[in-house]
Amino acid sequence: MIKRYTFLSCWLLLIVLTGSLAFGQTRRVTGRVTAAQDGTTLPGVNVVIKGTTVGVSTDASGNYSINVPDDRTVLTYSSIGLVAQDIPINNRSVINVQMAESVNELAQVVVTGYNSVQKKDITGSMVSVTSEKFKEIPVASFDQALQGQAAGVQVTQSSGTPGGGITVRVRGSTSITASNRPLFIVDGVPVEDGLLSSRDFGGQNDNAFALLNPNDIESIQVLKDASAKAIYGSRAANGVVLITTKKGKANQKTTFTAEVQRGVTEIVKRPDLLNSTELLELQREAVVNAGQDPDKLGLVKGITDGVNTDWVDAVLRRGIYQQYQLSASGGNEKTRFYLSGNYRDEEGIQLNNRFSRMSGKFSFDHKANSALSFGTDITLSRALNKRVKGDNFLDGVYSGAVKSLPYYSPYNEQGKLYGPNDPNYQGFPNFNPVAQALLPRFDTYTVKILGGLWAEYELLQNLRFRSKVSVDYNQVTEDQFESSQTAIGGYLESVGGRGYGVFSSGTYNTFINTNTLSYNFLLNEKHRFNALAGLEILQRQERSSSVTGRLFPSDDFTYITSAGIVDNGSSNLLRSGLISTFGELRYDYDERYLATVTARYDGSSRFGRDRQFGLFPSLSLGWRISQEKFMEQFRFLNDLKLRASYGFTGNERIGDFQFLGTWASVTYSGSSGLGPAALANPTLQWERTREANIGLDANFFNGRLNLSLDVYDNLTDRLLFAQPIPSTSGFGTLQGNIGKISNRGIELMLSTVNFNRGGFRWNTDLNLSRNINKVVELANNGPLFRGYTAEGVGMTNAVVQGQPLGSFWGLKFLGVDAATGDAIYEDLNGDGRITPDDGQVIGNAQPQLFGGLTNRFSYKGFDLNVFFQGSFGNKMLNFTSVSSINTGADLQSNQSRKALQRWQKPGDITSVPRYVYQNGYNNYHSSRFLEDGSYLRLKNVALGYNIPKKYVERFRIVSGARIFASATNLWTLTRYTGPDPEVSTLDGSTTAQGIDFFTIPQYKTLMVGITLNL
């Protein structure tokens, strides 16, 4: 505690001593500097008394305060990238200034944590994504909007379920068992990420960010290196994503904006499966090859294939997408506001799957006087997610449709759905996929309140104190019922075949109080200082409960109160907290030499008393080479800046109180009592990542060419890992800090104005990233197996020292013996047998290169955006093929059309072994099921037209109108044979990435819309 307050006192002493330099002036002038083009506030603008070396710089909100002698009458406002201005004072005490850009992008303002700076002053590695880049892409959540837009940020949509999980990685994965998700902060408030539901659906989760309306977002900043993110300390190792929502603009009259979007959704690609006749022929061949009679197994030509059902088509549909938004914004020199309401409704491409959201946002800030400002940001939302079972669920809808035999129909002669107890229905896997889609109720209701109240007061000239109290409240209610006509409610023996219900509820709350002191000053026109010190207290509480019921009197009674037996339930309460002090000092000499020192001192309740506190420092330097005299000859070069940073960040996201030795209720010989549940480890501490970064930023030809290049080397040690220990201890694992992981890479961002003449403009944005991930050190040299159980080798994935996370494990497939038709596997240990000991690393899911390319064209009122996104060099495990190209191991699944390429006679050259009934050797898990997952996807095409005002003004209430059309996921170039190379069955998994196990593919959206300004 003494260290923490000593650290804060040093910052206060620096501010007070420096502040004394500004005393003794006779007149005080205050104001705010904003951008002329959009009214946004501009930090870091130099305000100098003309004819002197006395000056200040604007703070993060564009505010300044300066004492001016009576004999001075002019203030000079200047900053690189802005047109300088000399403004007479004229006895005014408040002077608000609008400044125009002289060079594109240099004056762009970005949020850097607890501050805002102009892009020209950045010394760390970060990337900004404005709402203009995704405003006409119908994304359900803002993390989805990042896909392909930012170098170093890999975003994967795990499946095609609306409101479903999105995986985000910033500069690779740093942990094996702790979270690898970035820290997401909305308007200064850390928000819940990942799933809110208490259960996944076959590996697929819901997405907490789907509760936030992307249309309310102004910009997204991704902090990537230690200099940019160390101010978030123990939570920053995986990157920090800062979301800034829309605010009102100063000196803007109140405007209303109404927008309507309507469209349709459809699956991008359907699996190519066999019809009844083709499948029957294949199954008969497999039975004959096994020396048996197919007729005796019921595989009779003309009878078995008398019905031909396309089950995939039966469970899918064309969905309807619609979204409506109304917003108002405005402001003057003192008050600004933004108010919006939104409704989004999206039918999933699977029957009975739907996501609906209602949301509203209110933002308000007011400058009461020259010293005091205050404001609030509040977001309210409510969502209903009608989920369906999917992926590797034994009773999943899409997975069941892919596997089900076409010999059977979903409906009987009376048009009623077949149920599992119907004697006339014998289809695999003992349930009707159409019934499984339509009959169950899996409704998830979610309410979110995200808000904060802040106030700022100028204690001394440019010494400002800011305090903010915020809350992120999430309440989730899940209502589930499976009738007697479903697989679980009617077939599962443990529920008695008379229905099964679950009702659960959970609240997840984060309360945070942030207090900062900031001080900005300018010495001799060349030395600019920006100092910040802060104290933050965070408390999180999680409360959940659930109850289950079975043996319902009939399918008309669907709630737990009607259940005959209610004998299973749970309740939990968890609390955690974080107390932190932090500081940042920025120095700028003559806008040439830049330096930033950042540190955070965190204390977390998730670790033992001796390891609760830790320091996370960083240092970054910048050299604006273009400001040197020897660069004056290169007039085409507007800005050239070299950056370097070094520092440490942490990861404490492993759940609560895992350092404790815990006890739990146990039952032994019919009696209940207490027993040890986990071993204590008082030395448990957070993971630590050492980060080094070198970057180069360049701006040419008055903003027509912008380039940013970064090279980084990160090493994470003290991995939070459950180390296996001998079971004779009575425990299986001990939570500890073991191992190291490295991430090294290079990132390129390029922005160009290719053509701008005669009203026609063509812009291009390109970003490319290469990340090399490697497990440097583990507790032992042996592989740690993860993923799914796979025939012949054990598990599909492994964590192996010297290999990247996401490595696939299996036998190496060498081809098919042309003489016998059997699979050939590499005998790794040379013992003459194919056993699990021959398993090895056969590939990994990490891409060698990923990125995005956007071209924007505009001509008069028309504009066209074309956005490509892709990944190269990653492998995909087509685990669906284990069932759909199973070489006859069983007769219970339909087969892929690729099965027709099987070996049939000696001399056949193929990669598909012969089909032999009940023979699993040819179906061992191997590199036969591993495919190239590289792809290039036409992610979005948007065409818009701004209707000329002469036509719009005929309607008195309308001041502007725009119509547009958008299409997503239109086209994909890939060698992957599955429906979608992007999906991942185990949503968010680090060690088992890139597995396609009956995962519903993404969908394409065709949408039209209109925007009216009122």
Side-chain angles (χ1 to χ4, degrees):
M1 297 295 288
I2 295 175
K3 292 181 179 179
R4 183 167 70 253
Y5 291 115
T6 302
F7 177 72
L8 182 58
S9 299
C10 290
W11 282 103
L12 292 173
L13 180 61
L14 172 64
I15 291 171
V16 172
L17 289 177
T18 313
S20 65
L21 297 173
F23 294 162
Q25 306 300 329
T26 59
R27 184 193 312 174
R28 190 180 187 193
V29 177
T30 64
R32 176 182 288 168
V33 180
T34 58
Q37 67 274 18
D38 58 9
T40 56
T41 55
L42 293 174
V45 175
N46 299 330
V47 183
V48 179
I49 302 171
K50 189 170 185 178
T52 73
T53 59
V54 177
V56 297
S57 60
T58 57
D59 67 3
S61 300
N63 297 313
Y64 71 94
S65 176
I66 187 169
N67 291 327
V68 184
D70 288 337
D71 61 344
R72 301 293 176 174
T73 60
V74 177
L75 293 177
T76 299
Y77 299 79
S78 65
S79 179
I80 289 180
L82 297 171
V83 178
Q85 297 184 48
D86 288 340
I87 297 181
I89 299 175
N90 294 332
N91 295 319
R92 289 179 291 176
S93 60
V94 177
I95 302 178
N96 296 317
V97 179
Q98 289 188 331
M99 301 188 70
E101 291 184 358
S102 60
V103 179
N104 291 338
E105 293 201 9
L106 292 182
Q108 179 184 343
V109 178
V110 295
V111 179
T112 61
Y114 299 88
N115 253 328
S116 295
V117 300
Q118 292 183 56
K119 190 173 181 180
K120 68 181 180 63
D121 296 325
I122 293 174
T123 55
S125 179
M126 64 181 66
V127 60
S128 179
V129 179
T130 63
S131 59
E132 292 294 318
K133 294 186 178 181
F134 57 83
K135 68 178 182 178
E136 288 169 359
I137 303 177
V139 294
S141 58
F142 62 79
D143 51 351
Q144 188 180 354
L146 283 171
Q147 187 173 43
Q149 301 284 5
V153 183
Q154 185 181 4
V155 180
T156 304
Q157 185 169 339
S158 300
S159 74
T161 55
I166 305 289
T167 300
V168 181
R169 295 289 182 267
V170 177
R171 291 188 169 179
S173 298
T174 64
S175 181
I176 295 176
T177 58
S179 173
N180 279 288
R181 294 180 65 85
L183 174 66
F184 291 90
I185 295 179
V186 178
D187 290 332
V189 186
V191 295
E192 290 287 335
D193 60 12
L195 74 160
L196 288 175
S197 171
S198 62
R199 66 181 297 186
D200 63 43
F201 271 31
Q204 292 302 316
N205 298 307
D206 62 336
N207 184 3
F209 296 148
L211 293 168
L212 298 171
N213 176 19
N215 291 327
D216 286 333
I217 293 175
E218 183 70 32
S219 64
I220 304 173
Q221 270 72 238
V222 183
L223 314 184
K224 298 188 292 184
D225 74 336
S227 170
K229 61 186 181 175
I231 201 165
Y232 290 101
S234 63
R235 299 171 292 164
N238 300 316
V240 180
V241 180
L242 305 175
I243 297 93
T244 303
T245 60
K246 292 179 179 178
K247 309 289 190 296
K249 302 292 192 300
N251 299 315
Q252 178 191 60
K253 69 175 184 178
T254 300
T255 59
F256 295 87
T257 301
E259 184 169 287
V260 176
Q261 297 180 7
R262 296 273 299 183
V264 295
T265 59
E266 192 171 357
I267 193 170
V268 292
K269 182 181 177 183
R270 297 169 186 262
D272 194 2
L273 303 173
L274 301 183
N275 60 38
S276 288
T277 302
E278 293 168 330
L279 179 63
L280 180 61
E281 180 182 347
L282 182 66
Q283 290 179 334
R284 288 178 62 86
E285 178 184 314
V287 172
V288 170
N289 287 342
Q292 300 185 41
D293 183 357
D295 289 339
K296 292 183 178 181
L297 294 178
L299 301 173
V300 182
K301 291 183 178 181
I303 297 177
T304 304
D305 57 347
V307 175
N308 182 34
T309 298
D310 186 334
W311 284 102
V312 172
D313 187 66
V315 301
L316 298 183
R317 65 181 175 185
R318 175 175 290 176
I320 301 298
Y321 161 80
Q322 55 186 329
Q323 181 166 254
Y324 310 93
Q325 170 138 338
L326 179 65
S327 63
S329 65
N332 53 35
E333 293 182 350
K334 288 192 173 183
T335 305
R336 300 181 300 170
F337 77 93
Y338 173 82
L339 177 66
S340 76
N342 176 273
Y343 175 72
R344 179 189 179 96
D345 181 66
E346 185 176 350
E347 287 183 337
I349 55 178
Q350 298 180 90
L351 296 177
N352 209 28
N353 186 203
R354 190 175 200 142
F355 177 79
S356 301
R357 179 190 66 216
M358 293 184 293
S359 65
K361 172 169 172 52
F362 176 63
S363 174
F364 169 84
D365 66 85
H366 178 69
K367 191 173 181 64
N369 53 48
S370 61
L372 176 63
S373 299
F374 58 86
T376 185
D377 286 287
I378 300 175
T379 296
L380 304 174
S381 65
R382 180 184 184 274
L384 168 59
N385 193 347
K386 298 178 72 67
R387 307 176 72 186
V388 297
K389 288 187 175 181
D391 288 5
N392 59 319
F393 256 126
L394 293 178
D395 55 334
V397 174
Y398 178 78
S399 57
V402 174
K403 290 185 292 184
S404 288
L405 302 174
Y407 308 147
Y408 305 96
S409 172
Y411 297 94
N412 61 22
E413 291 81 358
Q414 289 76 39
K416 294 183 179 181
L417 289 166
Y418 279 115
N421 298 315
D422 194 316
N424 297 317
Y425 184 75
Q426 304 286 330
F428 179 81
N430 295 317
F431 75 94
N432 179 349
V434 176
Q436 191 61 36
L438 296 176
L439 298 181
R441 181 180 68 242
F442 299 115
D443 291 347
T444 301
Y445 298 89
T446 313
V447 174
K448 187 180 190 74
I449 302 174
L450 178 66
L453 179 65
W454 61 269
E456 182 177 282
Y457 190 79
E458 187 176 29
L459 302 174
L460 300 171
Q461 179 179 305
N462 288 321
L463 173 62
R464 292 181 172 87
F465 173 73
R466 182 183 177 95
S467 182
K468 184 173 184 177
V469 179
S470 307
V471 62
D472 177 25
Y473 172 86
N474 303 269
Q475 199 281 326
V476 185
T477 300
E478 296 180 81
D479 176 19
Q480 305 177 10
F481 176 75
E482 298 181 71
S483 75
S484 63
Q485 298 303 303
T486 62
I488 298 298
Y491 181 78
L492 197 65
E493 184 176 348
S494 61
V495 304
R498 289 169 55 188
Y500 177 71
V502 180
F503 189 88
S504 61
S505 178
T507 57
Y508 310 91
N509 309 320
T510 299
F511 299 91
I512 185 169
N513 174 231
T514 305
N515 303 278
T516 59
L517 276 171
S518 61
Y519 189 59
N520 305 325
F521 61 96
L522 189 67
L523 295 179
N524 297 324
E525 291 191 74
K526 292 187 177 182
H527 302 273
R528 179 156 57 95
F529 294 87
N530 295 270
L532 174 78
L535 171 67
E536 189 168 77
I537 301 172
L538 181 148
Q539 184 179 37
R540 184 181 183 276
Q541 178 176 288
E542 177 180 328
R543 187 186 298 271
S544 61
S545 62
S546 68
V547 63
T548 62
R550 52 195 173 93
L551 295 182
F552 289 78
S554 78
D555 290 341
D556 296 323
F557 295 83
T558 66
Y559 290 94
I560 303 296
T561 188
S562 302
I565 296 179
V566 180
D567 60 354
N568 190 12
S570 66
S571 63
N572 294 285
L573 174 64
L574 290 172
R575 291 192 181 100
S576 62
L578 196 71
I579 184 169
S580 313
T581 58
F582 54 88
E584 178 182 80
L585 177 63
R586 294 178 178 272
Y587 171 69
D588 177 343
Y589 174 73
D590 197 24
E591 297 192 306
R592 282 188 293 166
Y593 308 117
L594 312 171
T596 303
V597 179
T598 305
R600 187 178 182 110
Y601 191 60
D602 269 339
S604 173
S605 66
R606 287 178 169 165
F607 302 100
R609 181 169 298 178
D610 297 336
R611 292 291 190 272
Q612 277 189 320
F613 290 91
L615 179 66
F616 301 91
S618 75
L619 169 67
S620 62
L621 302 172
W623 177 25
R624 185 170 289 110
I625 305 172
S626 55
Q627 290 297 100
E628 300 291 349
K629 290 186 177 180
F630 62 80
M631 296 295 293
E632 291 178 354
Q633 57 183 316
F634 303 106
R635 296 182 178 180
F636 63 90
L637 179 63
N638 304 109
D639 189 65
L640 180 64
K641 181 173 61 179
L642 182 66
R643 300 177 276 105
S645 67
Y646 186 87
F648 295 88
T649 55
N651 186 358
E652 51 102 44
R653 303 172 71 184
I654 59 164
D656 298 313
F657 310 117
Q658 295 194 23
F659 68 94
L660 292 174
T662 57
W663 292 66
S665 62
V666 295
T667 301
Y668 180 74
S669 189
S671 301
S672 61
L674 289 177
L679 288 173
N681 182 3
T683 63
L684 189 70
Q685 59 184 304
W686 34 57
E687 298 177 345
R688 181 185 66 175
T689 301
R690 184 269 299 150
E691 306 187 33
N693 188 95
I694 297 177
L696 182 71
D697 300 323
N699 184 292
F700 303 90
F701 309 112
N702 292 321
R704 296 194 62 162
L705 173 61
N706 292 277
L707 179 146
S708 182
L709 181 68
D710 280 274
V711 179
Y712 61 90
D713 183 352
N714 301 341
L715 179 66
T716 304
D717 60 7
R718 306 175 184 171
L719 293 183
L720 292 164
F721 187 72
Q723 178 185 0
I725 59 176
S727 57
T728 53
S729 66
F731 301 89
T733 61
L734 173 64
Q735 188 71 43
N737 295 102
I738 301 169
K740 298 178 180 179
I741 291 178
S742 74
N743 285 280
R744 297 176 176 175
I746 183 170
E747 301 162 354
L748 171 68
M749 293 193 70
L750 191 66
S751 177
T752 64
V753 179
N754 306 310
F755 191 88
N756 189 11
R757 186 178 302 172
F760 178 73
R761 184 181 176 93
W762 170 25
N763 295 64
T764 299
D765 292 328
L766 170 70
N767 70 84
L768 295 172
S769 304
R770 166 85 161 120
N771 181 75
I772 303 173
N773 175 272
K774 184 170 72 172
V775 178
V776 177
E777 182 181 301
L778 289 172
N780 52 62
N781 293 328
L784 302 172
F785 294 108
R786 297 291 188 269
Y788 290 107
T789 301
E791 188 174 2
V793 293
M795 303 294 285
T796 59
N797 297 81
V799 180
V800 183
Q801 188 168 306
Q803 297 290 332
L805 293 171
S807 292
F808 295 108
W809 187 268
L811 301 172
K812 186 175 181 181
F813 178 68
L814 300 178
V816 175
D817 189 327
T820 65
D822 287 330
I824 305 173
Y825 304 108
E826 181 180 7
D827 183 9
L828 187 65
N829 58 11
D831 63 357
R833 298 179 301 132
I834 299 301
T835 67
D837 293 334
D838 295 312
Q840 58 185 294
V841 173
I842 55 177
N844 71 83
Q846 302 277 1
Q848 297 178 17
L849 191 70
F850 62 91
L853 173 67
T854 302
N855 281 285
R856 297 181 178 87
F857 307 90
S858 61
Y859 179 69
K860 296 184 178 179
F862 291 93
D863 56 80
L864 173 67
N865 292 347
V866 182
F867 169 40
F868 288 89
Q869 172 263 331
S871 174
F872 172 76
N874 55 296
K875 294 294 184 180
M876 280 286 292
L877 176 58
N878 193 341
F879 211 47
T880 304
S881 295
V882 175
S883 293
S884 63
I885 315 177
N886 68 14
T887 66
D890 64 64
L891 305 178
Q892 303 302 308
S893 296
N894 198 356
Q895 298 294 287
S896 167
R897 188 156 300 279
K898 188 176 180 180
L900 300 181
Q901 302 174 16
R902 68 199 180 281
W903 185 96
Q904 292 181 279
K905 63 182 184 302
D908 284 350
I909 305 299
T910 180
S911 61
V912 181
R914 66 182 181 132
Y915 267 62
V916 183
Y917 178 48
Q918 294 182 332
N919 182 349
Y921 176 82
N922 287 335
N923 218 44
Y924 282 172
H925 175 62
S926 69
S927 55
R928 177 165 79 91
F929 302 111
L930 206 62
E931 301 183 32
D932 184 0
S934 305
Y935 70 91
L936 177 65
R937 172 164 281 164
L938 181 54
K939 193 66 180 180
N940 182 256
V941 177
L943 176 64
Y945 177 62
N946 295 303
I947 301 175
K949 287 190 175 182
K950 64 181 181 180
Y951 300 116
V952 174
E953 290 174 349
R954 297 177 182 178
F955 305 93
R956 295 182 180 179
I957 63 172
V958 180
S959 61
R962 171 180 169 80
I963 56 175
F964 56 91
S966 174
T968 61
N969 298 324
L970 277 182
W971 172 81
T972 302
L973 176 65
T974 183
R975 296 174 62 184
Y976 182 62
T977 61
D980 188 353
E982 188 181 337
V983 298
S984 183
T985 295
L986 298 177
D987 175 34
S989 174
T990 298
T991 55
Q993 310 167 32
I995 300 177
D996 181 2
F997 193 20
F998 298 108
T999 305
I1000 185 75
Q1002 292 190 59
Y1003 51 85
K1004 55 187 174 184
T1005 302
L1006 303 175
M1007 178 264 291
V1008 295
I1010 183 170
T1011 302
L1012 300 176
N1013 296 319
L1014 308 175

